[in-house]
Amino acid sequence: MPKQKAYYIIDFDSTFTQVEALDELARISLRNHPDKEAIFQKIEDYTNFAMEGKLSFSESLAQRVKLLEANEDHLKQLIKHLKKKVSTSFSRNAEFFKKHADEVLIVSGGFKEFITPVVSQYHIKKENIYANTFVTTGDGKIIDYDHANPLSEEGGKVKLLQHLKLEGELFGIGDGYSDFQLRESGIINKFFAFTENIARESIVSKADHVTPSFDEFLYVNDLPRAISYPKNRILCLVIGEVDPLTIAILKNDGLSIRHKTSFEEKYVKDVGIILLADGEKIDKEQLKNAAKLKTIGYLGNAKNKIDLDLCTKQGIVVFDDPKNNPRNIDFIPKRVADFMNTGATYLSSNFPNLQLPKIEKSHRLIHIHKNVPGIMAKINTVFAKHDINIVSQFLMTNPEIGYAITDINAQYDKQLFRSLKKIEQTIKFRVLY
């Protein structure tokens, strides 16, 4: 039986972009208004009441447009601003939108005038953008909106989708009540609550799946994506007294953060990254059992605090700050994030130093192995057997280990990974993107 066609119904405000566009437009249009702060608050309140289902969408929209006092020049400034505010995980998966241009629909209670210029950069077709439209005077002042558009009404997304009569499997991605209504009405098959920018508890609790990033959505639906494994699934354990700015760097990278006073046993099997405050220690037994641990960032001198030889044997990359420079609050988390994103071991304490640029339209594979003769020959034999074309390959060694990074440009099957993991003397293998 042929697979059903899939359609992806994506919200705009706080989903495709990081912000609520009408709120941002108000900040531009009312910049010089004496009561601007009070008006901003009213507009934000109307937005949130509608998103949480506490006020009808049509009432919320009417009240917000009235308060805007905006014109076409303000719209131009807004568009420029919104282009810089596309959600990070949507931005990095631009290739997905290009490949699925026929199946991606932007359905929003926002306005075409600012949505179309932003999403069109991502190859989303103009005929697949469904949103409201402003009514303007001859001199470009926004005075109203088209009340005949179903998207200006309560339950507008449901009415629109009923009219479109799309046949296939429908997935909805959004952050608000109007997105959940599509699932509640039975029009879409699954509703994914998008929480990269905002998590509304009343919506999250009703979702089929909570997706902290677009990578997560692509991952659970086995769709092509920019990174192989969503960062929100990687557990980063922060131990001890750590500057909030240091933690923020890793949080902004999309990792799942847990801040604890000690390395609790329940985290040992699942932790992928550990960030340790100066003076904290990890015992050997915990290190041996931390099978998923890829890297440790130590905010000070790790000597006598972590068994570096054991970390090397386990394939765990350690970054520390031997000079204990208090001004370097961003140095360690940036090194850790760079290693997770590109495989760079530059300035690590225990691994061969390797720093590589990201290569577009390729997949990056990391293979850590014991430094014995013949391993690279075995790796490349596996690639040859799977007809894989190598774009670039780098190997660095120290007396203990070999660290190989290979960029390939072919489609691959999962059997390739299994074969690479089975090579004798392999310590760790992972796919970066």
Side-chain angles (χ1 to χ4, degrees):
M1 190 177 167
K3 196 180 176 185
Q4 270 191 312
K5 185 168 182 173
Y7 287 97
Y8 309 102
I9 318 298
I10 302 174
D11 180 39
F12 182 76
D13 295 289
S14 294
T15 298
F16 199 94
T17 57
Q18 299 166 27
V19 293
E20 292 287 328
L22 280 186
D23 296 0
E24 299 300 304
L25 181 56
R27 294 199 173 274
I28 293 166
S29 65
L30 300 167
R31 193 177 285 138
N32 301 316
H33 197 288
D35 299 321
K36 62 183 179 182
E37 289 305 326
I39 301 171
F40 292 159
Q41 193 55 56
K42 275 187 190 174
I43 289 172
E44 281 184 20
D45 288 346
Y46 283 129
T47 299
N48 286 321
F49 289 154
M51 289 299 106
E52 291 161 11
K54 294 174 183 172
L55 182 71
S56 81
F57 184 78
S58 51
E59 179 63 17
S60 164
L61 187 63
Q63 294 295 344
R64 285 181 285 163
V65 171
K66 245 185 242 177
L67 291 165
L68 277 176
E69 296 184 24
N71 59 41
E72 286 174 352
D73 184 54
H74 296 137
L75 268 179
K76 284 177 189 169
Q77 292 175 54
L78 174 69
I79 290 160
K80 194 175 175 185
H81 175 61
L82 291 177
K83 283 180 176 179
K84 295 173 186 170
K85 289 286 180 181
V86 172
S87 296
T88 309
S89 62
F90 277 95
S91 181
R92 73 168 151 259
N93 284 290
E95 199 61 30
F96 171 83
F97 297 107
K98 192 174 182 179
K99 283 182 183 171
H100 294 271
D102 292 329
E103 297 95 54
V104 171
L105 279 68
I106 300 293
V107 178
S108 170
F111 289 81
K112 277 191 179 182
E113 286 86 349
F114 55 71
I115 293 174
T116 302
V118 175
V119 303
S120 295
Q121 300 177 115
Y122 289 83
H123 309 280
I124 292 166
K125 295 181 172 180
K126 286 182 182 174
E127 59 267 33
N128 284 358
I129 300 167
Y130 297 91
N132 285 298
T133 51
F134 286 121
V135 173
T136 56
T137 57
D139 61 354
K141 189 179 178 188
I142 294 167
I143 51 166
D144 204 354
Y145 58 89
D146 177 10
H147 290 256
N149 188 325
L151 286 166
S152 70
E153 302 166 16
E154 176 58 24
K157 291 188 180 184
V158 172
K159 291 171 190 172
L160 175 78
L161 267 289
Q162 283 170 337
H163 172 72
L164 290 178
K165 294 188 172 95
L166 297 172
E167 287 187 18
E169 198 172 9
L170 274 60
F171 299 99
I173 308 162
D175 66 289
Y177 182 67
S178 62
D179 305 300
F180 165 68
Q181 283 178 317
L182 292 172
R183 181 70 172 98
E184 193 178 36
S185 66
I187 289 177
I188 62 173
N189 299 75
K190 273 190 179 178
F191 168 56
F192 291 79
F194 187 79
T195 60
E196 185 171 319
N197 305 307
I198 187 165
R200 306 179 199 277
E201 192 44 52
S202 58
I203 309 306
V204 165
S205 60
K206 296 169 182 167
D208 293 297
H209 191 90
V210 178
T211 178
S213 66
F214 193 53
D215 308 294
E216 171 75 8
F217 172 80
L218 297 174
Y219 178 80
V220 296
N221 292 297
D222 201 21
L223 292 163
R225 53 198 175 273
I227 55 176
S228 64
Y229 192 72
K231 292 182 190 176
N232 56 270
R233 287 180 172 240
I234 299 171
L235 173 61
C236 174
L237 193 60
V238 179
I239 299 170
E241 208 171 304
V242 174
D243 191 299
L245 285 174
T246 303
I247 300 170
I249 291 166
L250 295 174
K251 193 171 185 178
N252 291 342
D253 206 47
L255 298 159
S256 176
I257 310 284
R258 300 282 185 283
H259 193 178
K260 300 290 172 181
T261 53
S262 63
F263 190 4
E264 295 170 27
E265 204 57 40
K266 65 179 177 180
Y267 295 116
V268 171
K269 284 182 181 173
D270 296 317
V271 67
I273 301 168
I274 294 177
L275 189 69
L276 286 164
D278 191 21
E280 298 292 337
K281 292 183 178 183
I282 299 183
D283 68 51
K284 286 187 181 184
E285 211 51 44
Q286 286 177 316
L287 272 178
K288 281 176 186 170
N289 294 327
K292 293 183 182 176
L293 185 56
K294 296 164 185 68
T295 180
I296 296 172
Y298 196 90
L299 300 169
N301 191 336
K303 196 177 178 185
N304 302 323
K305 304 290 195 306
I306 302 173
D307 189 326
L308 291 176
D309 289 338
L310 180 58
C311 285
T312 306
K313 284 170 186 166
Q314 299 270 115
I316 300 163
V317 181
V318 178
F319 297 94
D320 75 341
D321 183 13
K323 292 181 180 173
N324 215 348
N325 187 342
R327 277 182 263 175
N328 279 355
I329 60 167
D330 64 346
F331 172 73
I332 298 297
K334 281 182 176 176
R335 292 268 64 80
V336 166
D338 197 25
F339 167 71
M340 293 302 292
N341 294 331
T342 70
T345 52
Y346 180 62
L347 297 178
S348 75
S349 317
N350 65 326
F351 256 57
N353 273 231
L354 195 50
Q355 190 172 28
L356 298 171
K358 187 169 180 173
I359 295 177
E360 293 300 317
K361 296 182 181 174
S362 69
H363 305 288
R364 178 162 289 177
L365 314 180
I366 287 184
H367 193 277
I368 303 169
H369 51 267
K370 289 181 184 173
N371 186 10
V372 296
I375 299 283
M376 285 310 291
K378 288 176 183 175
I379 289 172
N380 289 332
T381 299
V382 170
F383 287 133
K385 277 182 183 170
H386 286 82
D387 295 319
I388 298 293
N389 182 37
I390 295 172
V391 178
S392 62
Q393 192 170 52
F394 298 87
L395 169 70
M396 291 289 281
T397 62
N398 66 20
E400 284 284 339
I401 57 161
Y403 182 66
I405 291 185
T406 308
D407 292 314
I408 61 172
N409 67 6
Q411 289 298 314
Y412 53 79
D413 59 43
K414 302 252 171 92
Q415 188 55 48
L416 170 67
F417 302 162
R418 285 192 279 272
S419 301
L420 288 166
K421 284 177 185 175
K422 277 182 185 172
I423 292 172
E424 211 177 333
Q425 312 295 354
T426 297
I427 298 170
K428 269 195 173 87
F429 168 80
R430 73 181 175 116
V431 186
L432 280 189
Y433 50 79

